[in-house]
Amino acid sequence: MIDFLELLSDYPLQIAVIASIIGAYLWPIIGRFIRNLFVRIRYPNVKRGYCSENLRIESFSSVAFERNGDPILLERMWIRNFKNISDIDLLFTEESQLEGNWSCIAGINGAGKTTVLQAISIILMGERLVTELGRERLRRFLRRHKGATHKAEIEAVVRQGNRRCRLYLPLDENGVDNSKLLSHKDYHLMSTVWKLLGDQLVVSYGASRSLSDSLDNRYSNVSRAVQRHMTLFDPLSQIANVEAVIGEKSEISVKVVRVLSNLIRETLSDKSIGLLPVIRDSGITFKQRTASVQAIDLPDGYKSTLAWFADMCSTWISATVPSGRKGDDPRAITGIVLVDEIGLHFHPSLERSIISMLRRVLPNVQFIVTTHSPLVLSSFDRSEIILFDKDADGGLRYLDRQIFGFTTNEVYEWLMGTIPQSQVMEELLRTRDEDSSVYLYQSPQTNELEATEIQNRRRQLLRELGLFKGKYEKN
């Protein structure tokens, strides 16, 4: 011990240099070990290869993005004290066996599916645009619990190629908490990324999206960039850009028609009901059997999907024309698209196929969607499904199997925790009315008349055995 102290007193500078070199080498290793250990404890079901590289917001330095670089994608997100969500971490770019870049959020009503989409929309809009939502609306996003109002925080990691940048947006009673935001070490980088996101396709569509031939002026003072998200925040608002489908000819709509028509042909053209698009420079109409139908008069499922198709194509054309990237192929579209209840109003035949068709036709778009449909859910890789479950650790349920081959009933029971039958039959059986048993005999293979015959034969057999005395039998 004395020898060491003598050495320290004789060579203090040399020892300090050696210690600093050793510390500089070992500290990153020790820090990486501690972070990985924390991640593995908190997120035991996430692939460790993914955790060690991507699930560490503190472990990387934000890098400036390029103006004409690859499209920006959302990789990970943290939401704290936002509406009904207290604290949740979400991954959006896990490896999938399927084509495209998709995430599907599922769960019961009130679990927070739409809330997550709203939080994503807000963090991608950024500090300047989000204020256009209005202070009162931003105030309603704050979580209220046991009489207290908590400040909200949304944090995300976005990626452009191999470059990553952190985004952070704190909210308080006055809207954006500028004191926190401006003091963030990556504020200037974040501001640049938000400007770049404003130049690419980033759109949101709420469950009430549809076409309308009336003009909604309530958000005329809001920028076009924010209007593209309003249906997610106001169910009565209208899709921003639908000139191409309601026949209002403009310079941009003529360009949109060419891209939109190819998208429609590969997704919504349905020969089984005789619905075929008729493409004109002034807009798009549909031929249904022998009749010509305007887009505004289509069934709700087609109309709501056509509305966000048109807006997406219009936004992309507007964003890409200045850079010279033109074309009619929807496969060239890049960006981030949020869709609440993507299968809404669809017939089951289209619910079953819409995701696969969109994967094929729009392979370069990052989709983040929600659904209640078991047919839509079974179109996703298990790594693409974010399943809210209040009984699971962290409020999210990890799937240990693929559900591609599940029947609708199996998805209802195993994934959604719902009996795949109406409650009507249970209520009828509780009345103990013997005539209700005829409903149990009916099936896709047995009609009502055949079921009645089966019921009568079984009653007769029970009478012969002395085991049946119905309400109409005499004592």
Side-chain angles (χ1 to χ4, degrees):
M1 183 67 178
I2 296 176
D3 292 340
F4 174 77
L5 294 176
E6 291 177 351
L7 182 65
L8 185 62
S9 62
D10 292 339
Y11 303 96
L13 181 61
Q14 293 88 337
I15 291 176
V17 171
I18 293 172
S20 64
I21 293 173
I22 294 175
Y25 177 75
L26 291 179
W27 180 246
I29 297 175
I30 296 172
R32 189 181 304 118
F33 172 79
I34 294 173
R35 284 191 296 268
N36 287 348
L37 181 62
F38 169 79
V39 165
R40 293 184 183 187
I41 292 173
R42 186 171 182 183
Y43 307 98
N45 294 322
V46 181
K47 299 175 184 177
R48 290 181 179 177
Y50 189 89
C51 290
S52 63
E53 295 299 326
N54 298 332
L55 195 59
R56 296 177 301 168
I57 194 166
E58 301 86 357
S59 66
F60 74 90
S61 297
S62 293
V63 179
F65 285 4
E66 298 176 347
R67 174 158 295 279
N68 295 316
D70 294 331
I72 299 172
L73 302 176
L74 178 64
E75 187 171 87
R76 185 194 171 188
M77 191 166 181
W78 293 258
I79 307 171
R80 297 181 182 91
N81 294 322
F82 188 83
K83 295 180 74 172
N84 64 324
I85 295 177
S86 59
D87 189 348
I88 198 165
D89 297 347
L90 303 170
L91 299 170
F92 295 102
T93 56
E94 285 206 82
E95 184 178 351
S96 170
Q97 298 182 28
L98 303 177
E99 185 179 12
N101 190 340
W102 285 76
S103 298
C104 180
I105 306 170
I108 63 172
N109 289 331
K113 302 185 296 299
T114 303
T115 298
V116 169
L117 292 188
Q118 290 174 334
I120 295 172
S121 177
I122 285 173
I123 194 69
L124 295 180
M125 277 193 274
E127 58 163 333
R128 182 180 61 84
L129 293 178
V130 78
T131 58
E132 296 186 38
L133 293 176
R135 180 179 297 180
E136 181 57 34
R137 180 176 279 113
L138 292 178
R139 187 182 291 120
R140 293 202 302 268
F141 293 142
L142 304 181
R143 181 170 176 261
R144 290 167 173 78
H145 181 62
K146 293 183 178 180
T149 300
H150 302 272
K151 294 182 179 181
E153 293 180 294
I154 308 171
E155 199 165 2
V157 174
V158 291
R159 187 184 75 222
Q160 185 190 58
N162 293 323
R163 300 166 180 254
R164 289 185 175 86
C165 184
R166 178 188 292 106
L167 298 179
Y168 175 69
L169 198 65
L171 302 176
D172 61 15
E173 290 281 358
N174 296 315
V176 177
D177 187 342
N178 287 309
S179 61
K180 269 190 176 182
L181 179 62
L182 296 175
S183 63
H184 196 283
K185 66 176 183 176
D186 292 328
Y187 172 71
H188 295 293
L189 284 176
M190 292 190 298
S191 296
T192 301
V193 172
W194 279 323
K195 290 178 182 177
L196 294 177
L197 283 167
D199 293 334
Q200 78 165 45
L201 171 69
V202 180
V203 287
S204 308
Y205 304 108
S208 61
R209 61 192 177 272
S210 192
L211 291 175
S212 175
D213 54 4
S214 61
L215 185 62
D216 182 5
N217 291 317
R218 291 178 302 138
Y219 298 107
S220 58
N221 61 334
V222 172
S223 66
R224 201 67 160 173
V226 175
Q227 288 179 21
R228 294 166 185 156
H229 298 268
M230 284 312 303
T231 60
L232 190 60
F233 298 97
D234 180 357
L236 299 180
S237 62
Q238 295 178 7
I239 295 279
N241 297 304
V242 294
E243 296 93 341
V245 290
I246 63 175
E248 293 184 7
K249 188 173 181 179
S250 64
E251 180 182 355
I252 195 69
S253 69
V254 173
K255 299 172 183 176
V256 170
V257 163
R258 294 196 293 266
V259 182
L260 179 59
S261 62
N262 289 326
L263 179 57
I264 293 172
R265 286 192 184 100
E266 297 199 50
T267 54
L268 295 182
S269 295
D270 192 339
K271 295 181 180 179
S272 64
I273 62 172
L275 187 66
L276 298 172
V278 179
I279 312 301
R280 298 186 177 92
D281 286 341
S282 60
I284 299 175
T285 59
F286 288 82
K287 184 177 181 181
Q288 188 169 16
R289 298 183 178 88
T290 60
S292 178
V293 181
Q294 296 293 322
I296 200 71
D297 298 317
L298 287 173
D300 284 343
Y302 287 93
K303 189 164 57 176
S304 64
T305 302
L306 188 61
W308 73 260
F309 274 11
D311 182 71
M312 177 186 66
C313 292
S314 178
T315 304
W316 181 72
I317 289 291
S318 300
T320 59
V321 165
S323 64
R325 292 179 291 170
K326 302 177 183 178
D328 301 341
D329 189 352
R331 289 167 179 80
I333 298 177
T334 60
I336 303 174
V337 176
L338 315 179
V339 186
D340 198 9
E341 297 296 344
I342 192 168
L344 193 66
H345 303 307
F346 276 154
H347 185 274
S349 62
L350 196 50
E351 285 185 12
R352 180 176 179 269
S353 60
I354 187 63
I355 302 301
S356 295
M357 290 189 291
L358 290 175
R359 286 184 189 275
R360 184 182 68 252
V361 183
L362 297 169
N364 298 308
V365 174
Q366 181 180 19
F367 279 99
I368 303 174
V369 304
T370 72
T371 189
H372 282 112
S373 166
L375 286 171
V376 172
L377 268 173
S378 59
S379 300
F380 291 96
D381 186 286
R382 64 176 182 171
S383 66
E384 298 173 331
I385 297 176
I386 298 172
L387 183 60
F388 279 91
D389 187 338
K390 60 181 178 60
D391 297 324
D393 291 339
L396 297 175
R397 176 180 168 188
Y398 170 75
L399 301 187
D400 60 359
R401 67 203 69 184
Q402 297 288 10
I403 61 172
F404 306 139
F406 279 29
T407 65
T408 302
N409 284 357
E410 289 170 337
V411 174
Y412 271 128
E413 291 181 316
W414 185 81
L415 192 67
M416 306 176 80
T418 301
I419 298 173
Q421 286 177 314
S422 168
Q423 191 171 324
V424 170
M425 192 67 240
E426 298 175 19
E427 294 174 353
L428 288 172
L429 291 176
R430 278 197 289 267
T431 65
R432 296 185 179 275
D433 185 347
E434 62 190 48
D435 292 333
S436 298
S437 63
V438 72
Y439 305 126
L440 295 173
Y441 298 129
Q442 295 177 46
S443 70
Q445 295 76 35
T446 306
N447 62 31
E448 185 175 9
L449 181 60
E450 293 168 335
T452 302
E453 293 176 352
I454 293 172
Q455 182 189 55
N456 290 336
R457 286 198 300 270
R458 293 186 177 180
R459 283 180 176 178
Q460 182 59 36
L461 179 61
L462 291 172
R463 285 192 190 95
E464 293 173 358
L465 294 174
L467 299 176
F468 178 81
K469 181 172 289 188
K471 64 182 179 180
Y472 302 116
E473 302 286 327
K474 294 182 180 180
N475 292 326

